[in-house]
Amino acid sequence: PGRDSASAFSLGHRPAMADWFWVRSVLYFAGELQRRHRFEWLMSYLDLVIELDPDFVEIYRWGGTALILRTNKVTLEDVRLANQILEQGATRFPDDWGLAHMAAANCSYYISKPSPQEKLELDACRRKFLQLAADRPSAPFYISLSLAALDEGDEEKYCALLIDSYLRTSSDPVLREQVERRMKSGMCTKTVDPSILRSYQKRFDAAWNAAYPYLEPDLFVHVHEIEPGPEQEESLNESR
């Protein structure tokens, strides 16, 4: 149904109706992944759930990810659509830094060999959303570090900070596999080899548990340096 008719059918129970369509959207997305990969109704589902319950924060996070994961070759238009949803959420939730940070990551990971005009747009996108995230009161310190790295033109440091934040916030193994496979196309290509990511995660967990298990991971990264593994050193040497 359209947004107006869905609102009428809810009989005043808009969040409950939003939950129902949220479940339908997830099932629809999973079905399309297994069958046609067309996803022509995905944006309609997202718009419908947001219209019915704009305070359901997870629909923005999920939408900003699903619009990327629906294709094996992410285009700039995919990034624009995903970030449109994330920006709606960031506007609705002014204290949430994570939605804006997700949008900055979308502009960094996925676009392979952008044209000069696309590169300018992606760079502006990264700066816009990182600044938006950094301005939120609850934003962790590494957001400001990422913004400073961009201002300094240090893409390697920016990518390292971005990957580090991804490792600490992503726990779903299926989602991680899907995201990592697409991450190999963008500006951080040399930093995001999935085997290096998994190796870093293991070494991070081991070092954290051995040294400062009582600290939050977000603080631990600022008091303890994780030594690179042999495969990471090899990758960095090749990039030089």
mmCIF file of all heavy atoms in Angstrom, residues 191-208:
data_model
loop_
_atom_site.group_PDB
_atom_site.id
_atom_site.type_symbol
_atom_site.label_atom_id
_atom_site.label_comp_id
_atom_site.label_asym_id
_atom_site.label_seq_id
_atom_site.Cartn_x
_atom_site.Cartn_y
_atom_site.Cartn_z
ATOM 1 N N THR A 191 43.951 -1.206 2.193
ATOM 2 C CA THR A 191 43.877 -1.354 3.644
ATOM 3 C C THR A 191 42.846 -2.390 4.069
ATOM 4 O O THR A 191 42.846 -2.828 5.207
ATOM 5 C CB THR A 191 43.505 0.004 4.286
ATOM 6 O OG1 THR A 191 44.263 1.027 3.660
ATOM 7 C CG2 THR A 191 43.782 0.022 5.769
ATOM 8 N N VAL A 192 41.969 -2.811 3.163
ATOM 9 C CA VAL A 192 40.796 -3.568 3.607
ATOM 10 C C VAL A 192 40.773 -5.004 3.102
ATOM 11 O O VAL A 192 39.717 -5.585 2.960
ATOM 12 C CB VAL A 192 39.490 -2.858 3.180
ATOM 13 C CG1 VAL A 192 39.371 -1.519 3.832
ATOM 14 C CG2 VAL A 192 39.400 -2.742 1.656
ATOM 15 N N ASP A 193 41.930 -5.600 2.836
ATOM 16 C CA ASP A 193 41.935 -7.007 2.473
ATOM 17 C C ASP A 193 41.264 -7.810 3.589
ATOM 18 O O ASP A 193 41.658 -7.713 4.748
ATOM 19 C CB ASP A 193 43.373 -7.494 2.277
ATOM 20 C CG ASP A 193 43.416 -8.926 1.786
ATOM 21 O OD1 ASP A 193 43.269 -9.829 2.640
ATOM 22 O OD2 ASP A 193 43.590 -9.122 0.578
ATOM 23 N N PRO A 194 40.228 -8.601 3.276
ATOM 24 C CA PRO A 194 39.479 -9.302 4.331
ATOM 25 C C PRO A 194 40.343 -10.169 5.236
ATOM 26 O O PRO A 194 40.104 -10.250 6.438
ATOM 27 C CB PRO A 194 38.483 -10.155 3.543
ATOM 28 C CG PRO A 194 38.266 -9.397 2.270
ATOM 29 C CD PRO A 194 39.604 -8.778 1.958
ATOM 30 N N SER A 195 41.374 -10.831 4.677
ATOM 31 C CA SER A 195 42.225 -11.666 5.526
ATOM 32 C C SER A 195 42.977 -10.805 6.533
ATOM 33 O O SER A 195 43.203 -11.217 7.680
ATOM 34 C CB SER A 195 43.215 -12.458 4.666
ATOM 35 O OG SER A 195 44.101 -11.585 3.975
ATOM 36 N N ILE A 196 43.385 -9.604 6.125
ATOM 37 C CA ILE A 196 44.061 -8.697 7.047
ATOM 38 C C ILE A 196 43.090 -8.220 8.119
ATOM 39 O O ILE A 196 43.432 -8.119 9.300
ATOM 40 C CB ILE A 196 44.664 -7.500 6.283
ATOM 41 C CG1 ILE A 196 45.791 -7.987 5.362
ATOM 42 C CG2 ILE A 196 45.185 -6.442 7.242
ATOM 43 C CD1 ILE A 196 46.393 -6.902 4.499
ATOM 44 N N LEU A 197 41.849 -7.931 7.711
ATOM 45 C CA LEU A 197 40.850 -7.495 8.676
ATOM 46 C C LEU A 197 40.620 -8.557 9.747
ATOM 47 O O LEU A 197 40.583 -8.256 10.942
ATOM 48 C CB LEU A 197 39.528 -7.189 7.960
ATOM 49 C CG LEU A 197 39.484 -5.920 7.117
ATOM 50 C CD1 LEU A 197 38.179 -5.875 6.341
ATOM 51 C CD2 LEU A 197 39.611 -4.683 7.984
ATOM 52 N N ARG A 198 40.466 -9.802 9.315
ATOM 53 C CA ARG A 198 40.205 -10.867 10.271
ATOM 54 C C ARG A 198 41.418 -11.108 11.175
ATOM 55 O O ARG A 198 41.274 -11.355 12.382
ATOM 56 C CB ARG A 198 39.821 -12.146 9.535
ATOM 57 C CG ARG A 198 38.393 -12.114 9.010
ATOM 58 C CD ARG A 198 37.988 -13.462 8.457
ATOM 59 N NE ARG A 198 38.611 -13.727 7.173
ATOM 60 C CZ ARG A 198 38.088 -13.364 6.011
ATOM 61 N NH1 ARG A 198 36.940 -12.705 5.984
ATOM 62 N NH2 ARG A 198 38.685 -13.646 4.877
ATOM 63 N N SER A 199 42.626 -11.009 10.582
ATOM 64 C CA SER A 199 43.835 -11.174 11.377
ATOM 65 C C SER A 199 43.963 -10.062 12.403
ATOM 66 O O SER A 199 44.301 -10.287 13.566
ATOM 67 C CB SER A 199 45.061 -11.184 10.463
ATOM 68 O OG SER A 199 46.246 -11.198 11.223
ATOM 69 N N TYR A 200 43.652 -8.831 11.980
ATOM 70 C CA TYR A 200 43.723 -7.697 12.902
ATOM 71 C C TYR A 200 42.716 -7.869 14.036
ATOM 72 O O TYR A 200 43.009 -7.595 15.200
ATOM 73 C CB TYR A 200 43.460 -6.385 12.166
ATOM 74 C CG TYR A 200 43.605 -5.161 13.042
ATOM 75 C CD1 TYR A 200 44.826 -4.501 13.145
ATOM 76 C CD2 TYR A 200 42.530 -4.688 13.780
ATOM 77 C CE1 TYR A 200 44.965 -3.395 13.967
ATOM 78 C CE2 TYR A 200 42.656 -3.594 14.604
ATOM 79 C CZ TYR A 200 43.875 -2.948 14.691
ATOM 80 O OH TYR A 200 44.005 -1.857 15.515
ATOM 81 N N GLN A 201 41.516 -8.325 13.700
ATOM 82 C CA GLN A 201 40.492 -8.515 14.720
ATOM 83 C C GLN A 201 40.957 -9.509 15.787
ATOM 84 O O GLN A 201 40.782 -9.288 16.990
ATOM 85 C CB GLN A 201 39.193 -9.015 14.079
ATOM 86 C CG GLN A 201 38.052 -9.257 15.071
ATOM 87 C CD GLN A 201 37.532 -7.966 15.652
ATOM 88 O OE1 GLN A 201 36.971 -7.149 14.946
ATOM 89 N NE2 GLN A 201 37.716 -7.774 16.945
ATOM 90 N N LYS A 202 41.585 -10.613 15.345
ATOM 91 C CA LYS A 202 42.073 -11.617 16.295
ATOM 92 C C LYS A 202 43.162 -11.029 17.188
ATOM 93 O O LYS A 202 43.197 -11.259 18.400
ATOM 94 C CB LYS A 202 42.599 -12.829 15.545
ATOM 95 C CG LYS A 202 41.507 -13.649 14.854
ATOM 96 C CD LYS A 202 42.115 -14.822 14.094
ATOM 97 C CE LYS A 202 41.036 -15.629 13.383
ATOM 98 N NZ LYS A 202 41.614 -16.748 12.579
ATOM 99 N N ARG A 203 44.097 -10.274 16.568
ATOM 100 C CA ARG A 203 45.185 -9.703 17.353
ATOM 101 C C ARG A 203 44.678 -8.609 18.299
ATOM 102 O O ARG A 203 45.156 -8.458 19.415
ATOM 103 C CB ARG A 203 46.268 -9.150 16.417
ATOM 104 C CG ARG A 203 47.110 -10.252 15.785
ATOM 105 C CD ARG A 203 48.214 -9.732 14.898
ATOM 106 N NE ARG A 203 47.685 -9.238 13.634
ATOM 107 C CZ ARG A 203 47.622 -7.972 13.293
ATOM 108 N NH1 ARG A 203 48.061 -7.040 14.121
ATOM 109 N NH2 ARG A 203 47.133 -7.603 12.119
ATOM 110 N N PHE A 204 43.685 -7.841 17.828
ATOM 111 C CA PHE A 204 43.089 -6.811 18.683
ATOM 112 C C PHE A 204 42.435 -7.455 19.903
ATOM 113 O O PHE A 204 42.661 -7.034 21.044
ATOM 114 C CB PHE A 204 42.054 -6.013 17.889
ATOM 115 C CG PHE A 204 41.349 -4.955 18.702
ATOM 116 C CD1 PHE A 204 41.849 -3.675 18.773
ATOM 117 C CD2 PHE A 204 40.181 -5.248 19.398
ATOM 118 C CE1 PHE A 204 41.212 -2.703 19.526
ATOM 119 C CE2 PHE A 204 39.536 -4.301 20.156
ATOM 120 C CZ PHE A 204 40.048 -3.016 20.212
ATOM 121 N N ASP A 205 41.623 -8.497 19.685
ATOM 122 C CA ASP A 205 40.938 -9.158 20.791
ATOM 123 C C ASP A 205 41.939 -9.765 21.770
ATOM 124 O O ASP A 205 41.759 -9.672 23.001
ATOM 125 C CB ASP A 205 40.004 -10.247 20.257
ATOM 126 C CG ASP A 205 38.810 -9.677 19.513
ATOM 127 O OD1 ASP A 205 38.518 -8.478 19.722
ATOM 128 O OD2 ASP A 205 38.187 -10.415 18.730
ATOM 129 N N ALA A 206 42.999 -10.401 21.243
ATOM 130 C CA ALA A 206 43.996 -11.026 22.107
ATOM 131 C C ALA A 206 44.724 -9.981 22.952
ATOM 132 O O ALA A 206 44.933 -10.158 24.158
ATOM 133 C CB ALA A 206 44.992 -11.827 21.273
ATOM 134 N N ALA A 207 45.121 -8.869 22.308
ATOM 135 C CA ALA A 207 45.843 -7.818 23.026
ATOM 136 C C ALA A 207 44.953 -7.155 24.065
ATOM 137 O O ALA A 207 45.386 -6.859 25.185
ATOM 138 C CB ALA A 207 46.367 -6.784 22.028
ATOM 139 N N TRP A 208 43.701 -6.919 23.718
ATOM 140 C CA TRP A 208 42.756 -6.287 24.641
ATOM 141 C C TRP A 208 42.542 -7.172 25.873
ATOM 142 O O TRP A 208 42.622 -6.704 27.013
ATOM 143 C CB TRP A 208 41.444 -6.023 23.904
ATOM 144 C CG TRP A 208 40.368 -5.395 24.741
ATOM 145 C CD1 TRP A 208 40.523 -4.498 25.760
ATOM 146 C CD2 TRP A 208 38.960 -5.620 24.624
ATOM 147 N NE1 TRP A 208 39.309 -4.147 26.283
ATOM 148 C CE2 TRP A 208 38.327 -4.814 25.609
ATOM 149 C CE3 TRP A 208 38.175 -6.402 23.779
ATOM 150 C CZ2 TRP A 208 36.943 -4.792 25.761
ATOM 151 C CZ3 TRP A 208 36.799 -6.365 23.931
ATOM 152 C CH2 TRP A 208 36.194 -5.574 24.912
#
